[in-house]
Amino acid sequence: MKDVYLFSGFLGSGKTSMLTYVLQQLKEKGLKPAVIMNELGKLPFDSQAVDEEIPLKEMLEGCICCSGAEKTEAQIQSLLADSQFDVLIIETTGAAHPVEALDAVYSPLFADQLNIKGIVTVADSKLWLDRETLPPQVRSLFLEQIRHAHLLLANKMDLLSEKEQAKVVYELQAVNPNAFILQTTNGKVPLHLLEELQATARASSENVKSAKIGKQLQLSSRLVELDNSFTQEEFEKWIQSLPSTVYRIKGYVPIEGVRNPFLFQYAYGLVQWLPEYIKMPAKIVMIGENIQEIDIESLSRN
C-alpha cells in the first residue's frame, strides 16, 4: 500500500514550501516519494522545487477536481506502473475544493494499492485575518479548504503579533474543530504529524455539494513573456496598479544590471524576490478572475 497525502490551500498560502520540506524529511527517512502537481498556469514553476530523481507528474491548465479527474487517474496509474515509490503527494491548485480533489484520487482501478492518509491544508494566517476583503465566492472556497482539512497549518505566523496569532488559531479551530492546528512559518510541518493521519474524508464527502469552482470563481491563468528588463521598483509599481482580482503572480522577471532573471512571487499584496543562479525564461504566470482583461501594455516600457 502506498500512502497518499493531498496538499490543499489557497493561492500563495505556502503549499510548495511545505512540499519541499516534507520531501526532504521523507528522503532523510529513506522513503521514496512521488509527486503530482496541479497548476492553473502553463508553466510548471512550482515543480522546479522537486528534485529530478523524484517521480513527478504535472497537470497544467486544468483542475484536479473537475475536468482533470480522469487525468489524475491516468497520472496515478502511470506512477504505479512505471515508478518505485513509497509515498504519493498530490499538490492541488489553489482553486481546488479539497473534498472534490480527494474524491478524484479514488478509483476502483487502484483503490487497493493506495492508503489515503488525509488532506493537509495550508492556511495563510495573514489572509485569514483579511478574509472579509475577499470576494464572496473566494472567501467561501477559503473556508471550505479549512473546514475539510485533517491537518491544518496556520502558516505565515511570523507576520503576525502574538495577539493576532491567538486570534487566528481560535477562529480556525471554530471552523474546523476536528483538525490538529499547527502554527508554522514557511510551511515547516514535522513528518510524524502527517504519518499519524487517518483520513475520514471519504465518508463525509457524500454530503458536500459540488463547488464548480471554475465557473463560480471564473479563475483563469495567463502567460506573459517579458521582453524588457525592469527595476524592482518599476515592476512593483505595476503590480500595485493591478485590480484585486489578481490573486497570484509567479515567474521570472529580468532586472536591470542583473545577469539572470529573479524569481518573483506575488500573493494578496505580498511580494517576494529571490535571486536565481541559472538563466530562467523571462515569463510570468498570472492567476485570478477575468485575468485576460488585465492591461499588459502598461508593463511595456517606453
Side-chain angles (χ1 to χ4, degrees), residues 42 220-223 286 288-296:
K42 296 181 180 179
S220 60
S221 64
R222 182 174 181 179
L223 174 64
M286 305 174 65
E289 296 184 55
N290 304 313
I291 207 72
Q292 300 301 327
E293 299 176 6
I294 300 298
D295 177 23
I296 302 299

Side-chain angles (χ1 to χ4, degrees), residues 118-123 143-154 169-183 193 197-198 200:
I119 299 172
V120 183
T121 296
V122 188
L143 288 167
E144 286 291 281
Q145 291 177 337
I146 291 168
R147 187 164 70 89
H148 293 290
H150 299 95
L151 174 62
L152 184 57
L153 272 61
V169 172
Y170 177 80
E171 292 178 349
L172 291 180
Q173 194 74 73
V175 174
N176 186 343
N178 299 314
F180 180 85
I181 298 178
L182 179 69
Q183 300 180 54
L193 290 180
L197 289 176
Q198 291 296 331
T200 57

